[in-house]
Amino acid sequence: MDELTRQRTRAKWDAAAKNFDVMSSRGPEKRWAPYKREFFSAMRGRILFLAVGTGLDIQFFPPNCQIVGIDISPKMLEQARARADAYPGKLELREMDVHALEFPAASFDQVFTSCTFCSVPDPVGGLESLRRVLVPGGELHMFEHTGSRYFPFNLMLNIMTPLARRFGPDMNRPTVANVERAGFRIRDVRHVYLDVVKAIVAEAPASTAG
Amino acid sequence: MERRPYFVFGDVLTSVGSGGLAGLVCAAVIGTGWNMWLGMLVGMALGMALAMVLSFACLLVLFGAMEVMLPSMLSGMLAGMVVGMAAPMGELPAAKGALMGALIGVGVMLFNYAMDAYLSRRASPWTS
Ligand SMILES: C[S@@+](CC[C@H](N)C(=O)[O-])C[C@H]1O[C@@H](n2cnc3c(N)ncnc32)[C@H](O)[C@@H]1O
């Protein structure tokens, strides 16, 4: 990802940080709470969490995990700090772009993402970076909203995307296909709402070559 | 499929409110002198825009994200389309437009619930 795109992405999410909790902390998070609790209950070993945002997901992490949480936006991380400090386990926050991860290869057993690959500018590139830092056979767990295969939902999501993208996420990304394009093997896809909000579990190849 | 009463109530409010608002405004704006097809197109665009405003102004914060946006925009668009076509064909009071829109909202909600029940099973990997 080039430097200009990185700066624009950071500026967009820095701007969104101010009102993020107002928009997301009640309706969406309460609605998704039972699904997210179950989703994050699979956390084990050394974990990379992308992207932290204001830390709304931290309440769903099981205790005593060893997690590194990253986000491109310093303003988001600033708001996440108190929630991270209150987490009963090891949770380190770092400002980092998923396209340029500063971790050696095979640093993590698992990667978790939550409503992230609607926002990352180069999704396949970002997923390839995640694959590099996962151990061979490591797990990728994603809670994401994506495009839909079905009319009229796909029409609505396509109409919304040009506007939504200016202030926040894309609404019509083919995230499951992107995960496969990045070299992961899909293990499970579970629908939370229509075929739009879903939990995806994928596996890095047993050999990191390629 | 959603079963928690608070969110079911929110889903009804979202679809009925968005459809009703779109029907009300479209019936008030689109008159008998209009070309029916123009009425339809304006109704669809206006209905969708109104639904988006309603969602962002209050519904999203209270009841969910995609679960609000999709039915709200769909109800607004369909209500605007139907009322936008009906209004040029004969006198349509705004209250009747609102009622038509609200009923369309109920239909959208039921369709949405049926699709959600069908799709919320474990999905196959090829789903986008
Ligand atoms: C929709 S928010 C989701 C935040 C959080 N996971 C939640 O669900 O509340 C998307 C987040 O992705 C982050 N993000 C976008 N592009 C990124 C990138 N290239 N690298 C790291 N984080 C990124 C944004 O800063 C933002 O915090």
Side-chain angles (χ1 to χ4, degrees):
Chain A
M1 189 169 81
D2 61 90
E3 191 46 40
L4 185 62
T5 313
R6 181 168 298 137
Q7 279 173 16
R8 282 195 180 139
T9 306
R10 182 176 294 131
K12 177 166 84 174
W13 290 103
D14 274 352
K18 201 161 59 139
N19 294 319
F20 193 83
D21 276 6
V22 178
M23 292 305 286
S24 301
S25 65
R26 277 185 287 173
E29 285 306 324
K30 293 235 154 61
R31 189 150 196 154
W32 291 339
Y35 304 100
K36 282 199 170 178
R37 199 161 284 119
E38 188 189 329
F39 169 77
F40 285 113
S41 69
M43 283 182 149
R44 315 251 180 282
R46 295 163 302 162
I47 299 153
L48 174 64
F49 177 56
L50 167 80
V52 176
T54 60
L56 290 172
D57 291 308
I58 295 170
Q59 61 185 311
F60 305 117
F61 293 176
N64 306 317
C65 290
Q66 194 186 329
I67 305 164
V68 179
I70 65 165
D71 201 291
I72 199 168
S73 156
K75 292 267 191 281
M76 286 276 187
L77 288 172
E78 223 171 84
Q79 295 204 41
R81 191 73 53 198
R83 291 183 173 121
D85 289 346
Y87 172 67
K90 194 159 177 276
L91 173 52
E92 180 193 348
L93 298 188
R94 290 178 67 175
E95 184 185 322
M96 208 181 288
D97 175 6
V98 67
H99 303 93
L101 293 176
E102 296 157 23
F103 307 108
S107 301
F108 298 97
D109 302 303
Q110 291 182 323
V111 173
F112 276 74
T113 76
S114 163
C115 298
T116 301
F117 276 88
C118 51
S119 313
V120 164
D122 169 12
V124 176
L127 285 158
E128 282 168 350
S129 290
L130 295 181
R131 186 158 69 87
R132 181 184 70 79
V133 299
L134 267 174
V135 294
E139 291 173 356
L140 171 65
H141 294 254
M142 308 172 84
F143 189 97
E144 299 283 344
H145 63 85
T146 70
S148 172
R149 292 182 64 232
Y150 296 94
F151 182 84
F153 308 114
N154 49 7
L155 173 71
M156 294 293 115
L157 294 165
N158 288 339
I159 290 174
M160 276 187 252
T161 294
L163 185 65
R165 175 185 289 156
R166 293 170 150 259
F167 309 101
D170 282 21
M171 299 293 188
N172 59 357
R173 293 225 174 136
T175 300
V176 177
N178 286 343
V179 170
E180 284 183 313
R181 251 175 246 143
F184 286 94
R185 189 180 72 81
I186 302 286
R187 216 200 267 166
D188 191 25
V189 179
R190 214 173 278 200
H191 292 153
V192 171
Y193 172 65
L194 297 171
D195 64 334
V196 173
V197 182
K198 55 181 67 132
I200 305 163
V201 182
E203 205 174 271
S207 150
T208 47
Chain B
M1 203 174 76
E2 188 55 64
R3 287 202 174 84
R4 290 166 290 178
Y6 173 78
F7 290 111
V8 174
F9 167 73
D11 291 346
V12 176
L13 199 67
T14 295
S15 293
V16 170
S18 305
L21 178 68
L24 178 92
V25 175
C26 288
V29 168
I30 300 166
T32 41
W34 284 52
N35 174 289
M36 194 179 76
W37 300 110
L38 181 67
M40 183 188 86
L41 290 177
V42 171
M44 284 168 83
L46 191 58
M48 241 188 312
L50 287 165
M52 218 187 269
V53 171
L54 186 66
S55 294
F56 278 95
C58 61
L59 295 171
L60 276 172
V61 173
L62 296 173
F63 300 118
M66 314 308 290
E67 299 84 351
V68 165
M69 243 179 306
L70 280 172
S72 167
M73 281 186 66
L74 206 50
S75 302
M77 187 187 77
L78 287 176
M81 184 176 93
V82 173
V83 173
M85 283 174 92
M89 291 198 284
E91 202 59 45
L92 184 68
K96 196 166 171 204
L99 182 67
M100 279 168 75
L103 288 174
I104 289 168
V106 172
V108 167
M109 191 197 134
L110 294 176
F111 170 71
N112 228 39
Y113 268 49
M115 283 298 281
D116 192 34
Y118 169 67
L119 291 169
S120 63
R121 302 171 286 135
R122 272 170 165 247
S124 358
W126 43 260
T127 324
S128 64

